[in-house]
Amino acid sequence: MNLRRGVWVVVGVLVLSLSLSSAGDIVHHDNIAPKRPGCENNFVLVKVPTWVNGVEDSEYVGVGARFGPTLESKEKHATNMRVVLADPPDCCSTPNNKLSQDVILVHRGNCSFTRKANIAEAANASAILIINNRTELFKMVCEDDEPDVEIGIPAVMLPQDVGAILENDLMNKSKVSVQLYSPLRPVVDIAEVFLWLMAVGTIIFASYWSAWSAREAAIEHDKLLKDASDDSLHMEVDRSNALVEISTTAAVLFVVIASCFLVMFYKLMSFWFVEILVVLFCIGGIEGLQTCLVTLLSCFRRFKRAGESYVKVPFFGAVSYLTLAVAPFCIAFAVVWAVYRRVSFAWIGQDILGIALIITVLQIVRVPNLKVGTILLSCAFLYDIFWVFVSKWWFHESVMIVVARGDKSGEDGIPMLLKIPRLFDPWGGYSIIGFGDIIIPGLVVAFSLRYDWLANKKLRAGYFVWAMTAYGLGLLITYVALNLMDGHGQPALLYIVPFTLGTLLTLAQMRGDLKVLWTRGEPERPCPHVHLQPSQ
């Protein structure tokens, strides 16, 4: 049992080390992009479909410049234009080849972006494609010492590998043409709606399970006081060993250790490191899925006896027959997901394992009172803001966003996330939410329902409905901010913590329960023979 507790503490730190909501932004940030007349465009992603010798070929993604005219938003309005190579390649001087409303393909470097665009426009180009010197996108801006900029052709940056493909086709005498357009993202994508439902539903389910367990434990405790038998005492100790209660010190250390894990993820991010994270995630997912399935099946009379019959297994101790029967399925499910995690529908398996893991963590790790919950959420609040926003000052990029995207790993993000593909977004990608955005506030929400049940409070007179509503609103505001920021990752706890924690503290103060909630965390039970019933 102690081994299991240790494993879950490690898993808990791993999953809490990531807390982010995102819509899959793929543009890298640029911190020196002032707006001024002629150089005030919003940065937009640009679709670049290509045709080679009249046959439709690949579609690439570029990023529009701060300067130049805005691009069409619909493909049907975009013009098909021939592409020519610049001579010289950097386009820092007048091209030797004659242009006739062609798109000129140039290399980055040796002069400013605006100079290249001005020269291309003067040479009768209809647009300029600039090949970056890296395999990523970069935001093109105006120089600080440049006067007001007047450029009449669009400028688009392409990644190095895409530029190399187009350049190779042109050098092989192929006729290459492109369209340039920048479709708008929908205001709300249905993926965000489903992700919100998944997060809220997971906390509701985990909270009721936790409250039911606490009620059963309270009834057993009352029987223990009444019977005072050694067997009952032994059962009570065993049950308490299955739980991990967070102390005040642990709440602070949890976030500190999570920060250390996040920095380690950032520094060691690579293909092999993500593979290690996949293995750890599978271990946690197997345990979580197994726990959930065993508990659900035990509710049926047919499986109840198998769930209550145990056999001793080396290293693992006493294991129920039902657990042994379910374990192979859980292992097979996790292994199949790990092997096929790069296929388009693998997010379903990741979400199933992730939800099971989150629910199980919320059963094993508990907040004993509102004081610990307040410290935990407050530390997580500062942690989220620091690693999404403040970390840019030290690392020149958002550590949390880089880790969530799995940059430099060749993988589509790390597995400690719930994700759903953006169904109606022309740019594709995923809407994601970190496990920490569900688990950390979920610990406090589950605590509120346990208190309500132990205090025999009706649903409307309790704290759970208010806490759950506050969490849902906080997460909703997160997605509103996410869309206002055009898909850039947002620290969800920045919005969730003030809503959830503020609601509970204010309501407890108004009702006069703050002292009990803050210190004891559960109401006093005057008589050991009082039977606790769930609130309706």
Side-chain angles (χ1 to χ4, degrees):
M1 192 64 71
N2 289 333
L3 173 65
R4 184 181 177 182
R5 291 179 63 190
V7 168
W8 277 110
V9 169
V10 172
V11 170
V13 172
L14 282 172
V15 299
L16 293 182
S17 63
L18 190 63
S19 181
L20 178 80
S21 289
S22 172
D25 174 37
I26 62 172
V27 180
H28 287 234
H29 294 278
D30 183 275
N31 295 323
I32 50 171
K35 286 187 177 183
R36 60 175 185 273
C39 195
E40 55 190 358
N41 292 345
N42 292 323
F43 291 114
V44 294
L45 295 176
V46 180
K47 284 187 179 288
V48 187
T50 63
W51 286 259
V52 178
N53 294 325
V55 179
E56 189 170 357
D57 200 60
S58 302
E59 181 178 88
Y60 304 109
V61 175
V63 61
R66 181 72 94 189
F67 50 85
T70 57
L71 290 162
E72 290 287 347
S73 61
K74 296 184 178 180
E75 183 179 8
K76 63 181 180 181
H77 295 155
T79 305
N80 191 301
M81 302 171 288
R82 188 169 70 101
V83 181
V84 298
L85 281 173
D87 180 20
D90 58 13
C91 199
C92 290
S93 59
T94 303
N96 295 322
N97 46 340
K98 291 185 178 181
L99 305 178
S100 177
Q101 289 297 297
D102 300 314
V103 176
I104 188 168
L105 184 67
V106 310
H107 284 266
R108 179 183 176 183
N110 299 329
C111 62
S112 68
F113 297 124
T114 51
R115 178 173 172 79
K116 294 177 188 289
N118 277 319
I119 291 174
E121 183 181 9
N124 201 27
S126 60
I128 181 171
L129 296 176
I130 301 177
I131 303 172
N132 196 14
N133 52 18
R134 298 178 182 177
T135 56
E136 60 187 18
L137 297 174
F138 181 82
K139 294 181 177 179
M140 298 183 290
V141 299
C142 303
E143 300 292 332
D144 291 335
D145 57 352
E146 286 182 317
D148 291 350
V149 179
E150 294 183 8
I151 296 174
I153 62 172
V156 177
M157 169 75 73
L158 292 177
Q160 186 180 45
D161 53 347
V162 172
I165 293 171
L166 296 178
E167 195 172 28
N168 184 63
D169 287 336
L170 291 169
M171 292 180 70
N172 289 333
K173 307 301 182 182
S174 298
K175 291 178 63 177
V176 178
S177 60
V178 299
Q179 283 183 323
L180 303 177
Y181 66 103
S182 180
L184 302 175
R185 275 195 166 114
V187 176
V188 177
D189 192 274
I190 195 171
E192 293 166 0
V193 177
F194 281 117
L195 205 59
W196 184 90
L197 291 172
M198 284 169 58
V200 170
T202 298
I203 291 182
I204 290 176
F205 183 85
S207 297
Y208 271 92
W209 187 359
S210 179
W212 177 81
S213 300
R215 181 174 63 88
E216 293 298 309
I219 293 173
E220 288 182 12
H221 180 72
D222 290 344
K223 289 180 179 178
L224 171 68
L225 294 178
K226 185 177 181 180
D227 300 338
S229 66
D230 291 338
D231 290 341
S232 298
L233 180 61
H234 182 68
M235 288 175 58
E236 183 72 16
V237 171
D238 274 357
R239 190 175 186 86
S240 65
N241 283 338
L243 303 176
V244 177
E245 279 201 349
I246 302 176
S247 64
T248 303
T249 304
V252 177
L253 287 178
F254 223 50
V255 177
V256 172
I257 296 172
S259 296
C260 294
F261 270 102
L262 188 64
V263 173
M264 181 177 70
F265 291 173
Y266 175 74
K267 292 294 185 182
L268 299 178
M269 186 59 64
S270 60
F271 175 79
W272 67 266
F273 190 71
V274 172
E275 295 295 310
I276 293 175
L277 295 181
V278 168
V279 172
L280 291 175
F281 173 72
C282 286
I283 293 173
I286 289 169
E287 178 66 23
L289 189 58
Q290 176 182 278
T291 302
C292 291
L293 288 177
V294 168
T295 303
L296 288 173
L297 291 173
S298 296
C299 296
F300 297 94
R301 186 177 301 176
R302 181 180 301 178
F303 300 103
K304 188 173 183 180
R305 187 172 180 180
E308 295 175 348
S309 303
Y310 292 85
V311 63
K312 218 167 189 182
V313 177
F315 189 71
F316 292 100
V319 179
S320 71
Y321 286 102
L322 186 57
T323 300
L324 289 177
V326 167
F329 167 78
C330 298
I331 294 171
F333 187 91
V335 170
V336 169
W337 171 82
V339 172
Y340 295 100
R341 70 182 184 277
R342 295 179 184 87
V343 300
S344 59
F345 53 85
W347 61 272
I348 300 173
Q350 179 171 326
D351 288 350
I352 291 173
L353 291 171
I355 290 173
L357 173 58
I358 291 170
I359 291 173
T360 307
V361 169
L362 288 175
Q363 306 315 304
I364 294 175
V365 182
R366 293 188 178 182
V367 170
N369 52 51
L370 194 54
K371 176 183 177 182
V372 173
T374 300
I375 294 172
L376 179 64
L377 262 65
S378 299
C379 291
F381 174 80
L382 298 174
Y383 159 88
D384 227 16
I385 294 173
F386 180 86
W387 290 114
V388 174
F389 295 133
V390 183
S391 62
K392 295 178 184 178
W393 298 347
W394 280 274
F395 299 92
H396 306 294
E397 56 188 350
S398 174
V399 172
M400 186 82 78
I401 293 176
V402 169
V403 171
R405 290 189 311 214
D407 290 0
K408 303 175 184 177
S409 68
E411 296 276 347
D412 186 19
I414 67 173
M416 283 74 175
L417 301 162
L418 297 185
K419 58 193 290 188
I420 296 181
R422 295 178 63 81
L423 303 177
F424 299 105
D425 192 330
W427 298 105
Y430 292 88
S431 288
I432 64 174
I433 184 170
F435 286 177
D437 296 327
I438 302 175
I439 292 178
I440 297 176
L443 290 169
V444 175
V445 174
F447 159 77
S448 69
L449 185 60
R450 288 197 303 272
Y451 177 84
D452 288 350
W453 277 28
L454 293 174
N456 285 323
K457 287 182 177 289
K458 298 294 183 181
L459 205 57
R460 293 183 180 180
Y463 292 91
F464 172 70
V465 170
W466 293 92
M468 196 66 248
T469 303
Y471 173 82
L473 286 174
L475 187 58
L476 181 63
I477 297 300
T478 300
Y479 287 117
V480 172
L482 187 65
N483 286 293
L484 291 176
M485 295 296 290
D486 196 27
H488 295 295
Q490 291 291 298
L493 295 181
L494 171 64
Y495 310 96
I496 292 173
V497 169
F499 271 85
T500 307
L501 197 57
T503 299
L504 279 176
L505 291 173
T506 302
L507 195 60
Q509 178 66 33
M510 291 173 58
R511 292 177 173 177
D513 294 332
L514 184 58
K515 186 175 180 180
V516 176
L517 285 167
W518 187 261
T519 54
R520 285 179 51 84
E522 62 178 52
E524 293 187 18
R525 298 195 300 278
C527 299
H529 60 275
V530 173
H531 292 283
L532 299 167
Q533 299 295 332
S535 56
Q536 300 297 323

